[in-house]
Structure formats: C-alpha cells, structure tokens
Amino acid sequence: MESDLFRRQATWYGGRGLFATQPISKDTLLHTCPFPYASVIYRVFRKEVCGLCFAYAFDAGRNAWNIKLENGTGIWFCSEGCRDRWIRDESSEIVPAMNAAIDKLAKMAEKKQRSVAADSARIFTEIPKVESLTQDFIDEAWVIAENSAATQLPTLSEMELDTVRFVLSAILRRHAEDSGLQKTMPSPLDSWPALLELQNNELHFYRARPHALPSNLRIYAFIRRIVLTDVPALATYLATFETVHAVLARDPGNVFGMYEMNEEGDSEMLGWCMYVSASYFNHDCAPNVRKKRMGRELHFFATRDIAPGEELCTNYIDVKDTVTDRRKELAANWYFDCVCDRCKRELGATDDN
C-alpha cells in the first residue's frame, strides 16, 4: 500500500500484512479508505440510512430521511449536500434503471414462483459430504449455472436481494473504473485488480454453509437476467459468471458490517461494505490499530506507540471474550486459527492449569 508509515509484505503465518517502516506514535492516522468498492444498505433500512454518508436517521431523532433522487428509486439522503455530492461523484443513469429492475423482477419472480434452473438444481441433489466438498465441485456448479441462467428468474429471499444489490454495486464501480466515468479514482490498492488479490474464501464458506452455494447461483442467475433485460450497459460483465463469482467468493471474511452503536452499547447492523485496502489489516487479539467509520470513509488509527517492523493489526471480533470463544468465532467466520501472542499466552496458561 502507498504509505511512508508501513509496507505490505508476507507474514510468517501465511498471507500478507502491513508492517511499520518507522516509529509510529499513538493515535496516528495510518490509512483512510475514502469509499467502499461495494456496499449495500439493507432494504428495510434504506429510507433511514443516507445513500452517501451512511448517516442513520435514528441518531438524528428521525424515523427516516426525506430527500431522494427525483428520477431514482431506493436511495435516500440525509441532506441536499449528500444528494448533490452523490449526483456529482456517484451518479449514473444506470442506477435508477438497475434499482427499478431489481424491484420489478423480484415481484415478477415471486408472483410466478419460479425456481432456479433444473440443471443448476440437479447438481445439488447429490451434494458431497461437507468435509469432502471440493473446489472442482464448486467450479462445476458455476459452469452449470452459467449454461442455464440466461432464461431463468429465480425467486430470492430478502437477504439474497440485498446481496444482488451488493454485487451490482461492485459491478457498477468496476464499470465506472474501466470507462473512466468515476469522478474520484481509487488508489491502485482500492481498484478491481486489487479486489481480485483478496483471499478467496468460498471453499471454507460453502463447507460451513452448504446452502450458500445454491443461493449464490440463484443470485447470479437473477443478476444476469437483470443486466441482459434492463441494464445492457453492464452486459460485458455478465458474459461469463466470473465477475459475479469474484465478488461473492471474496465477500466472506473481507467485508465490514455497517454498524451503528446506541448509548446502551447495543449495535444495529444496517448493511455491509467491502473496503479493499482495509482487508490488509490482519487480526490480533491485542490490536495496535483501531478502525473508525466516519461517514462512508473508514479510518485506521494506532492505539499505542508502534515500533518499526511490527505488524499493524486491528480486531475482527470482541477481544474481551475468552481465548476459546475468540478462536472459535475466528475459525467459523474468518476461516483461520488465531496464532497471535495473546492467544498463545492464554492457551499456554490454560494448558498449565
């Protein structure tokens, strides 16, 4: 990543991380992700969360925002300023057509009660045991889905429809990037090629949640139908399954929940985002980095003084939990066994007892 404070390099435990190249003082701003590559506000919250800055109406003592695009659907704003900035920096004539198409096709599918294509469903009649699910099986399922998706309009759950919106936001970002339409160009570490460098977690994800594979194939079929029918400007990205597959394979373990915290300390998840460069901050149960969302920007600060050569790590989970619970959650949702110094120390103490 482009910084005088740290460099990206391989870690001793696998993968890559960020390491300090000079002394860093506590509270130093280390990195800023100016906007997510892909994001979605849950449909149930979309009148309550600003489409640009993600401000939550409840925090302002309101039930909903009342500013929206004149020619669009599904996007509300907390202020005219956010609306005007969205029009200036993010607006695309594709967005209103895309949002309208999602709602229209979802109603059509529900009315007709169609299911995923027969060939796509057939492959799941003999799903191998979870522990023997292979990448070859997953790859074959995607090929079958591509060969049968063009004429299909599957019925999706509300969560699947939110995932459709998330994937399409990534495709729109890639389209803007490729065509030079994006007003604020990302750094190389927040671009489509950088997204492809993120860890692909689909094998671990599908082994833990076998239902997710057919679900994602239905999502792909739905997106392909939307694009080919109503958003032809994006057709090049649906010529094969690869673009949709790339986003969905990197969603698990690489996205950030869009949370709001109330005064009692309870949190509300309003949607989720993919900040590509932010994924290079690995996890530690005694983190030296904290993240803070400011509007749609994600900022990372040093929590203490950091020496040259130290890895810069944030926390993915609640580090107040026990070592057993922490490791269990990380293995289940981030697909790795934590080997941080704190875990090793606490596991050693447990073994001694």
Side-chain angles (χ1 to χ4, degrees):
M1 294 169 66
E2 301 170 351
S3 175
D4 295 331
L5 299 175
F6 55 82
R7 66 175 176 269
R8 184 176 52 149
Q9 65 182 55
T11 69
W12 67 267
Y13 50 84
R16 291 169 294 179
L18 305 177
F19 293 80
T21 56
Q22 59 180 277
I24 299 174
S25 300
K26 180 181 178 181
D27 296 326
T28 296
L29 175 61
L30 300 166
H31 181 63
T32 298
C33 299
F35 50 79
Y37 198 93
S39 65
V40 65
I41 298 165
Y42 289 136
R43 180 182 174 85
V44 67
F45 287 119
R46 65 182 185 179
K47 293 183 180 180
E48 303 169 40
V49 180
C50 178
L52 184 85
C53 75
F54 303 151
Y56 189 24
F58 182 81
D59 293 338
R62 303 182 60 171
N63 293 324
W65 302 123
N66 60 7
I67 299 172
K68 66 176 184 176
L69 296 177
E70 294 181 1
N71 63 339
T73 61
I75 307 175
W76 278 258
F77 301 96
C78 66
S79 66
E80 292 181 355
C82 275
R83 180 199 62 196
D84 294 345
R85 184 180 169 194
W86 189 94
I87 292 172
R88 184 193 70 205
D89 294 343
E90 303 293 326
S91 179
S92 166
E93 61 184 18
I94 297 174
V95 175
M98 181 186 75
N99 287 340
I102 293 171
D103 293 341
K104 180 188 72 175
L105 292 180
K107 291 178 181 177
M108 182 186 303
E110 184 177 0
K111 182 177 180 180
K112 294 185 178 181
Q113 288 294 300
R114 293 185 178 179
S115 61
V116 73
D119 284 345
S120 296
R122 177 179 55 78
I123 195 169
F124 299 108
T125 61
E126 298 179 359
I127 291 183
K129 292 181 179 180
V130 170
E131 60 271 17
S132 60
L133 180 64
T134 65
Q135 190 64 52
D136 287 343
F137 180 88
I138 294 168
D139 294 343
E140 180 188 356
W142 277 97
V143 171
I144 290 175
E146 179 179 305
N147 291 337
S148 58
T151 60
Q152 300 305 312
L153 182 59
T155 302
L156 302 186
S157 69
E158 194 61 53
M159 183 63 182
E160 288 171 333
L161 287 170
D162 282 332
T163 305
V164 165
R165 296 180 182 95
F166 174 79
V167 174
L168 281 169
S169 75
I171 295 174
L172 280 170
R173 181 74 68 185
R174 184 184 179 189
H175 171 68
E177 191 177 304
D178 291 345
S179 60
L181 296 175
Q182 189 163 307
K183 306 296 193 304
T184 305
M185 294 302 294
S187 73
L189 267 298
D190 284 298
S191 62
W192 178 257
L195 183 150
L196 295 179
E197 290 187 29
L198 296 180
Q199 182 170 314
N200 178 334
N201 289 313
E202 68 175 354
L203 181 57
H204 295 296
F205 181 64
Y206 294 144
R207 282 179 173 174
R209 302 167 179 82
H211 67 279
L213 179 52
S215 174
N216 281 349
L217 298 184
R218 291 194 298 272
I219 288 166
Y220 162 66
F222 193 93
I223 290 173
R224 183 165 178 174
R225 177 66 178 271
I226 286 175
V227 169
L228 296 182
T229 304
D230 295 279
V231 197
L234 301 180
T236 184
Y237 302 108
L238 273 296
T240 70
F241 63 80
E242 293 296 343
T243 296
V244 174
H245 175 241
V247 177
L248 290 173
R250 289 158 182 80
D251 180 323
N254 286 306
V255 296
F256 295 77
M258 190 189 300
Y259 287 99
E260 285 297 323
M261 192 79 70
N262 63 25
E263 294 179 357
E264 289 74 34
D266 298 324
S267 61
E268 184 85 74
M269 187 169 173
L270 308 173
W272 74 96
C273 308
M274 180 181 287
Y275 292 90
V276 177
S277 60
S279 293
Y280 287 106
F281 287 95
N282 289 326
H283 168 83
D284 196 291
C285 293
N288 55 15
V289 174
R290 63 180 172 89
K291 62 180 180 292
K292 182 177 182 181
R293 185 170 61 80
M294 300 180 180
R296 66 175 180 169
E297 296 182 350
L298 201 60
H299 297 251
F300 292 85
F301 298 88
T303 62
R304 59 170 173 79
D305 292 344
I306 299 172
E310 280 192 71
E311 186 177 4
L312 306 178
C313 293
T314 185
N315 58 295
Y316 297 172
I317 59 170
D318 187 344
V319 294
K320 297 190 293 293
D321 290 341
T322 66
V323 62
T324 301
D325 288 343
R326 295 197 311 268
R327 289 169 61 82
K328 183 177 180 181
E329 184 175 355
L330 289 167
N333 297 310
W334 281 270
Y335 319 108
F336 67 87
D337 294 321
C338 189
V339 293
C340 74
D341 289 342
R342 180 185 170 191
C343 277
K344 288 189 288 187
R345 183 174 64 252
E346 293 179 6
L347 285 171
T350 301
D351 293 340
D352 291 341
N353 292 334

